[in-house]
Amino acid sequence: MSLNKVYKNSNFILVAFVIFLLIQAFDQSFGWGMNKIYPEIYFTTFGTKLEGWNVFIWFENGLIETLQVIILLIAILTLLNLYLSKKKFLKTGLVKGFIIIEIIGLSYFFFEEISWGQHYFNFDTLNIFLNENNFFFNHQREMNLHNTSRIFNEFPRLLVMLWCSMSIIILRYSKLINSKDLTKIIMPNEKLIFISFLLLVFILPDLILTKLGMVDFSKLHVYENDVFKGFNTSAILGIIFSFNFFRLSELQELLFVYYFMWHSLFLRELYFNRTYLN
């Protein structure tokens, strides 16, 4: 089976999985209330009065984070295999340098996700991360950097977000496409743009609606005499359309690593394709 066919099937599974996550999260967050308001229509629910997010799916070491770790490992091993097996065919320093930087960056991402092994081996957090007066104080008291400062979290996240969602779009509408090596690096396969568009679906609405002040959880519930009567229409629509009824950042990160995995596989295919090398 060709890699493009595998990619197509993989995307089908991904979209089906995302739809499942959205349905489950909606029911978890609003199902109990919807069942109270419209029992004839919303006749059954797994949601509870507590609402919130499913711990098994969204929290630390849950399903989404575990998938992220597995996909990251596949991407890293793919790039290592490419570099070690086809090093002599990587004719320019630009391509070699990019692969090395991507391996280092994804490895950092991988080890940060597992708190450098702490999630699996349960060793104690170093004191440097526990001292509240220290620059490296970890707000979750874990062995990682991304929970210590925005420098190690928001800035790398922004770069990753731009790369995964906008790099191909920028390439296709700029003069950079004239650079063969840069084109290989950014767009080893133009089909990657599907993942970029999917990411934008889960990035732009949140940015726009949050800026417009339409995401307000404090106004979500309507009570009369301390009895739940329903949801505030504008509040619930703002939350739903901005995808803030689950841990959106975790889904975005899953799509980030999915993009990196397929970017790595397509990049590897370029150099393992004999026709291309000749």
Side-chain angles (χ1 to χ4, degrees):
M1 185 182 296
S2 69
L3 192 60
N4 282 332
K5 183 67 174 178
V6 175
Y7 177 65
K8 182 179 179 180
N9 293 338
S10 176
N11 286 341
F12 178 82
I13 294 171
L14 173 69
V15 171
F17 181 59
V18 170
I19 291 173
F20 161 77
L21 291 176
L22 294 177
I23 294 172
Q24 189 284 325
F26 181 91
D27 185 60
Q28 184 91 19
S29 297
F30 310 116
W32 180 87
M34 297 296 287
N35 177 256
K36 293 295 181 183
I37 304 167
Y38 309 109
E40 297 84 6
I41 302 174
Y42 209 103
F43 51 86
T44 186
T45 178
F46 291 98
T48 68
K49 189 176 182 179
L50 296 176
E51 299 177 347
W53 303 307
N54 185 286
V55 176
F56 172 77
I57 295 175
W58 299 106
F59 278 64
E60 189 173 282
N61 297 325
L63 176 62
I64 299 300
E65 189 169 294
T66 301
L67 287 174
Q68 288 178 31
V69 169
I70 294 171
I71 294 172
L72 273 171
L73 188 58
I74 293 172
I76 294 167
L77 293 177
T78 299
L79 289 171
L80 283 171
N81 175 258
L82 167 60
Y83 186 81
L84 296 176
S85 300
K86 300 295 180 180
K87 188 176 180 180
K88 63 180 179 180
F89 294 110
L90 305 176
K91 298 178 181 180
T92 69
L94 182 63
V95 177
K96 286 183 181 178
F98 171 80
I99 293 175
I100 292 172
I101 291 173
E102 190 168 23
I103 290 172
I104 294 172
L106 292 182
S107 297
Y108 170 78
F109 195 166
F110 173 81
F111 284 111
E112 281 286 294
E113 279 297 299
I114 63 173
S115 291
W116 299 86
Q118 188 180 46
H119 289 179
Y120 299 100
F121 300 107
N122 296 316
F123 53 81
D124 294 334
T125 302
L126 296 177
N127 289 332
I128 192 173
F129 294 108
L130 300 176
N131 186 347
E132 295 186 13
N133 297 318
N134 196 302
F135 175 77
F136 293 104
F137 170 66
N138 189 290
H139 300 285
Q140 294 188 5
R141 299 183 177 277
E142 293 180 330
M143 189 80 170
N144 58 55
L145 292 173
H146 69 273
N147 288 321
T148 63
S149 169
R150 289 186 176 183
I151 296 174
F152 300 114
N153 186 31
E154 299 302 327
F155 181 66
R157 183 184 180 84
L158 177 61
L159 293 179
V160 168
M161 184 182 295
L162 291 173
W163 173 264
C164 296
S165 64
M166 297 300 297
S167 60
I168 294 179
I169 296 173
I170 293 172
L171 176 71
R172 294 181 71 171
Y173 292 97
S174 70
K175 295 180 180 180
L176 296 176
I177 201 167
N178 294 325
S179 171
K180 184 178 179 181
D181 288 331
L182 198 56
T183 300
K184 284 189 293 185
I185 288 172
I186 296 176
M187 191 173 62
N189 190 311
E190 63 181 7
K191 291 182 174 64
L192 281 170
I193 200 168
F194 170 79
I195 309 175
S196 295
F197 285 140
L198 186 60
L199 256 169
L200 290 174
V201 168
F202 291 102
I203 292 174
L204 293 181
D206 177 49
L207 290 176
I208 295 170
L209 295 178
T210 300
K211 290 292 184 182
L212 293 175
M214 294 183 65
V215 183
D216 190 346
F217 289 91
S218 66
K219 297 180 180 180
L220 177 61
H221 302 98
V222 178
Y223 289 95
E224 288 183 13
N225 299 320
D226 295 326
V227 177
F228 174 77
K229 290 297 181 179
F231 295 113
N232 179 290
T233 303
S234 61
I236 193 173
L237 289 178
I239 293 168
I240 291 172
F241 287 122
S242 66
F243 299 109
N244 275 284
F245 55 97
F246 55 91
R247 296 190 72 185
L248 179 59
S249 62
E250 290 296 319
L251 179 60
Q252 290 173 346
E253 288 176 12
L254 179 64
L255 295 177
F256 292 158
V257 300
Y258 182 77
Y259 182 95
F260 280 120
M261 179 186 74
W262 275 106
H263 181 276
S264 302
L265 289 169
F266 282 132
L267 189 62
R268 178 184 180 277
E269 185 186 43
L270 288 181
Y271 289 94
F272 276 77
N273 186 320
R274 292 184 179 181
T275 302
Y276 175 85
L277 291 176
N278 293 333

